[in-house]
Amino acid sequence: MPNGTVNSFPPIVARLTRHLPLLPLERLISEVANRVASQHPEFFDRLDEYAKKSFVIVPTDLDWIACLSFHNEKVQLRLSRSLESFANRDVTVTAPFFSLVSLLDGEEDGDALFFSRDLTIEGDTEAVLALRNALDDAEIDFVHECSAIAGPLSQPLEAGGKRLIALLKKSPLMRGKQEEGATAPMMDGMPGPYPT
């Protein structure tokens, strides 16, 4: 993938969400993650010793970051607006939100994103590879899994969600990767462009 072609939300999206509470989003993502985990118990076997690691995920175009860890075949997830909240992290993975979703779905090539500098990885790279392989084996459909918690409304919600994502990816509101030194959303302890 050529450098600069990855879609990112415009900075106003991060500004608009800056004051929204993180707890409802944290609960939603946790519920989806644990639903997926219950359907794919082999995920934890695949992670093996790396299940003890903590993985921090940084969507560069949003105003929150997530820390994932795995205990007793459950996904532990915490959200924050500061990297300093996760000082003992083992891994930091940074990319625009839609790239992270596409990696989860298997639609993006992680190697191509990494070499184009749209994806950065800091910390234990072997743990990242183990997580990537475990996710690839699980064949997770992000929108499907999020929609499934809506019960009888899951099918129309999934169809609408996938249409919305497709439209957003093509929207002129979305932009390519920021140039070096361009203005980026600010987080506590994370001056943009981040992370450093």
Side-chain angles (χ1 to χ4, degrees):
M1 179 179 293
N3 192 26
T5 63
V6 170
N7 288 326
S8 298
F9 286 116
I12 192 171
V13 173
R15 287 197 292 271
L16 289 173
T17 60
R18 184 169 297 163
H19 302 292
L20 294 178
L22 292 178
L23 186 58
L25 181 61
E26 183 176 290
R27 288 182 175 169
L28 172 65
I29 298 173
S30 293
E31 185 172 344
V32 171
N34 280 301
R35 181 182 179 279
V36 172
S38 68
Q39 294 178 341
H40 299 277
E42 71 280 4
F43 171 83
F44 297 96
D45 294 333
R46 187 82 162 133
L47 266 182
D48 195 28
E49 63 191 90
Y50 298 108
K52 300 174 183 176
K53 302 287 186 176
S54 61
F55 300 83
V56 169
I57 312 299
V58 182
T60 56
D61 49 352
L62 294 177
D63 192 50
W64 51 267
I65 56 179
C67 181
L68 295 169
S69 55
F70 308 94
H71 301 286
N72 299 321
E73 299 195 350
K74 292 283 186 183
V75 180
Q76 310 293 322
L77 180 130
R78 290 188 303 135
L79 298 183
S80 177
R81 290 192 166 92
S82 172
L83 259 183
E84 294 172 3
S85 301
F86 311 122
N88 296 321
R89 63 193 179 275
D90 296 297
V91 176
T92 306
V93 178
T94 307
F97 176 75
F98 280 130
S99 294
L100 293 167
V101 171
S102 296
L103 282 170
L104 185 64
D105 287 344
E107 294 178 0
E108 289 272 14
D109 180 355
D111 293 334
L113 286 173
F114 179 78
F115 287 113
S116 68
R117 299 176 63 193
D118 292 304
L119 169 74
T120 61
I121 298 168
E122 297 176 12
D124 190 336
T125 53
E126 290 185 1
V128 173
L129 290 174
L131 179 62
R132 174 184 169 181
N133 290 336
L135 289 171
D136 285 347
D137 285 354
E139 297 183 347
I140 296 168
D141 182 330
F142 177 76
V143 176
H144 172 76
E145 299 297 347
C146 288
S147 305
I149 63 175
L153 297 176
S154 61
Q155 289 187 342
L157 190 60
E158 178 180 350
K162 289 185 174 180
R163 279 197 299 271
L164 178 61
I165 287 175
L167 287 171
L168 282 173
K169 285 182 176 180
K170 296 176 183 177
S171 170
L173 295 175
M174 304 296 284
R175 55 188 170 61
K177 188 177 72 173
Q178 296 171 349
E179 296 298 324
E180 192 72 27
T183 303
M186 300 288 284
M187 279 190 192
D188 295 338
M190 292 180 63
Y194 49 75
T196 54

